[in-house]
Amino acid sequence: MVCQGGSWSFPQPFDALPVVSLTSTESAPRMVAATALSASSVMPLSYDGAGVAQTGDGLACLAVGRWG
C-alpha cells in the first residue's frame, strides 16, 4: 500500500501489533519512520537528508501479522 501524508488503516485489525516495513518511493534519499502504530493503523513520516519532515512523500507500507 502506498500512503502519502497521514495514516493508513489496515483492511482489518491485527490480533497484535504487526511488523511494519516502510520504504520511500521518492527518488531522493529519505529516512522513514512510523510515528504511530496500532493493530489497526500506522502513521508513517518521511524525512529528507537535513532531517526536515516531508509530508507529501510517497511511502510503501508492508505490514505482517495475524488478522484478528
Side-chain angles (χ1 to χ4, degrees):
M1 177 69 185
V2 175
C3 174
Q4 283 192 313
S7 67
W8 181 62
S9 296
F10 304 126
Q12 69 183 54
F14 289 95
D15 278 345
L17 290 180
V19 174
V20 174
S21 174
L22 299 167
T23 306
S24 173
T25 60
E26 303 297 314
S27 58
R30 295 287 193 254
M31 180 181 79
V32 182
T35 59
L37 176 64
S38 72
S40 60
S41 67
V42 63
M43 183 174 289
L45 192 54
S46 177
Y47 298 90
D48 66 12
V52 177
Q54 303 296 311
T55 57
D57 280 2
L59 303 173
C61 175
L62 172 68
V64 178
R66 195 173 80 178
W67 293 121

